[in-house]
């Protein structure tokens, strides 16, 4: 068989594998079936998606077995990020596991707002509440080389993932990880102190609404990161109340608090901040035109 004929057969085999996988994922209710199939096959081959599509990597029996294993997990609606073990956020690659929420593109708006707020400061001190994988804290540290970031989480398992990500991105010397429930320290260390900026993507889904989420989210992502295990309250706003109540005692003069909010929550969160004595500065829309980030300052 000539080289060109072999390549044609290889391309046909890969095309068939992707078509079959896409059909299976569609039947399983996966909206991004073709893209997911391509990402999983590329991972099974050990190449990038672009390389797989353009260079026709060899489709060995071992690669097919790996692909089938990954595909079966996706058919059960396990998120692609958990299957692959990583997710891109703010142009950085983050390790993720079932211990942490998968970073979302809309949360990049929070990081951008934080960096804009910090630009006036020579050596900003930042507190990231509920850090999970460390995505917000690490993206801030990478893009603000003089920043010192404290990142908290109530989950020790999440903090271990964040620790590895901080090491991977070479900011472990500027990202301090603390076991804490919001501002309440749980690691027997010193109180958190004061900061120039408090950033948070807190649990904001009320527990009653979790059942209506997509299976990918509802059945796999940590409940404590979605609704605080019920701690977000009946309206999903309890963590904003806690952040507002503690912000004055943890912000420096002219310090800011910047939070991500859920759909239709921005007005309520602004009201919560105002009643706590904070001065709302802006409500920022995401790329879908939804109110996504609220900024407020210590008066």
């Amino acid at each position: 068989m000539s080289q060109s004929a072999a390549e044609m057969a290889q391309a046909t085999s890969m095309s068939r594998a992707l078509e079959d996988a896409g059909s299976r994922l569609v039947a399983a209710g996966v909206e991004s079936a073709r893209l997911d199939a391509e990402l999983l096959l590329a991972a099974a081959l050990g190449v990038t998606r672009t390389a797989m599509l353009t260079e026709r990597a060899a489709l060995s029996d071992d690669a097919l077995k790996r692909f089938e294993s990954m595909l079966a997990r996706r058919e059960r609606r396990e998120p692609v990020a958990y299957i692959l073990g990583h997710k891109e956020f703010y142009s950085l690659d983050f390790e993720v596991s079932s211990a942490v929420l998968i970073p979302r593109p809309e949360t990049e708006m929070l990081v951008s707002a934080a960096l804009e707020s910090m630009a006036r400061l020579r050596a900003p001190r930042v507190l990231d509440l509920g850090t999970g994988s460390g995505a917000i804290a690490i993206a801030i540290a990478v893009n603000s080389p003089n920043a010192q970031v404290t990142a908290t989480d109530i989950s020790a398992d999440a903090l271990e993932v964040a620790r590895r990500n901080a090491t991977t991105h070479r900011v472990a010397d500027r990202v301090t990880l603390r076991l804490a429930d919001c501002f309440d320290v749980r690691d027997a260390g010193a109180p958190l102190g004061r900061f120039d900026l408090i950033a948070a993507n807190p649990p904001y889904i009320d527990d009653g609404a979790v059942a209506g989420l997509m299976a990918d989210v509802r059945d796999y992502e940590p409940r404590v990161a979605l609704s605080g295990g019920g701690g977000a309250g009946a309206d999903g706003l309890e963590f904003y109340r806690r952040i507002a109540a503690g912000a004055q005692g943890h912000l420096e003069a002219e310090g800011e608090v910047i939070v991500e909010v859920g759909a239709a929550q921005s007005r309520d969160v602004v009201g919560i901040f105002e009643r706590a004595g904070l001065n709302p500065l802006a409500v920022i829309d995401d790329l879908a035109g939804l109110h996504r980030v609220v900024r407020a300052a210590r008066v």
Side-chain angles (χ1 to χ4, degrees):
M1 181 180 289
S2 67
Q3 181 68 24
S4 60
E7 289 177 350
M8 289 176 62
Q10 179 67 37
T12 300
S13 176
M14 289 183 61
S15 177
R16 185 176 298 115
L18 286 171
E19 288 178 6
D20 291 346
S23 296
R24 287 169 59 180
L25 294 181
V26 167
V30 176
E31 293 182 359
S32 53
R34 177 69 183 198
L35 173 61
D36 291 0
E38 291 176 357
L39 291 170
L40 295 176
L41 182 55
L45 292 166
V47 299
T48 66
R49 174 170 168 258
T50 299
M52 179 195 70
L53 295 174
T54 60
E55 299 175 13
R56 298 173 182 175
L59 193 58
S60 66
D61 289 342
D62 285 344
L64 279 173
K65 289 178 182 177
R66 289 192 294 271
F67 183 44
E68 174 59 34
S69 176
M70 293 178 177
L71 188 61
R73 292 170 65 182
R74 187 65 182 121
E75 282 184 296
R76 295 192 292 271
R77 301 299 296 273
E78 183 175 354
V80 170
Y82 288 157
I83 298 170
L84 300 181
H86 62 92
K87 177 71 174 178
E88 181 180 320
F89 177 81
Y90 220 79
S91 299
L92 302 169
D93 193 57
F94 286 89
E95 175 190 336
V96 295
S97 74
S98 58
V100 301
L101 194 73
I102 298 168
R104 266 62 169 184
E106 54 266 29
T107 305
E108 295 184 355
M109 307 298 295
L110 188 155
V111 173
S112 294
L115 292 171
E116 178 183 331
S117 171
M118 294 159 52
R120 60 190 170 83
L121 302 170
R122 178 174 298 178
R125 297 185 67 246
V126 180
L127 175 63
D128 174 27
L129 296 172
T131 196
S133 66
I136 292 171
I138 292 166
I140 287 173
V142 168
N143 288 278
S144 181
N146 294 325
Q148 292 289 333
V149 185
T150 297
T152 73
D153 206 283
I154 197 172
S155 166
D157 290 338
L159 289 175
E160 283 304 312
V161 175
R163 193 180 313 279
R164 291 193 292 273
N165 281 322
T167 299
T168 296
H169 293 293
R170 301 181 180 180
V171 293
D173 60 329
R174 293 189 293 111
V175 175
T176 301
L177 300 172
R178 301 290 306 272
L179 186 68
D181 179 8
C182 202
F183 297 107
D184 299 328
V185 171
R186 298 289 181 87
D187 58 11
L192 292 177
R194 290 184 179 269
F195 299 86
D196 300 298
L197 173 70
I198 296 171
N201 177 18
Y204 54 68
I205 300 172
D206 67 83
D207 219 36
V210 172
L213 297 174
M214 292 174 54
D216 312 49
V217 177
R218 180 192 66 228
D219 297 341
Y220 289 95
E221 299 205 54
R223 184 68 60 92
V224 69
L226 296 170
S227 68
D235 57 4
L237 299 171
E238 189 57 31
F239 282 96
Y240 298 106
R241 296 185 183 99
R242 294 179 64 189
I243 291 169
Q248 294 279 15
H250 290 86
L251 281 175
E252 297 285 6
E254 300 183 1
E256 290 189 21
V257 55
I258 303 179
V259 296
E260 180 173 333
V261 298
Q265 288 181 328
S266 62
R267 182 177 297 179
D268 289 328
V269 172
V270 167
I272 289 169
F273 285 172
E274 286 179 327
R275 288 189 292 276
L278 297 169
N279 179 32
L281 299 176
V283 175
I284 302 168
D285 291 352
D286 63 18
L287 296 178
L290 300 174
H291 296 335
R292 183 60 60 184
V293 173
V294 174
R295 284 179 63 179
R298 181 183 172 192
V299 177

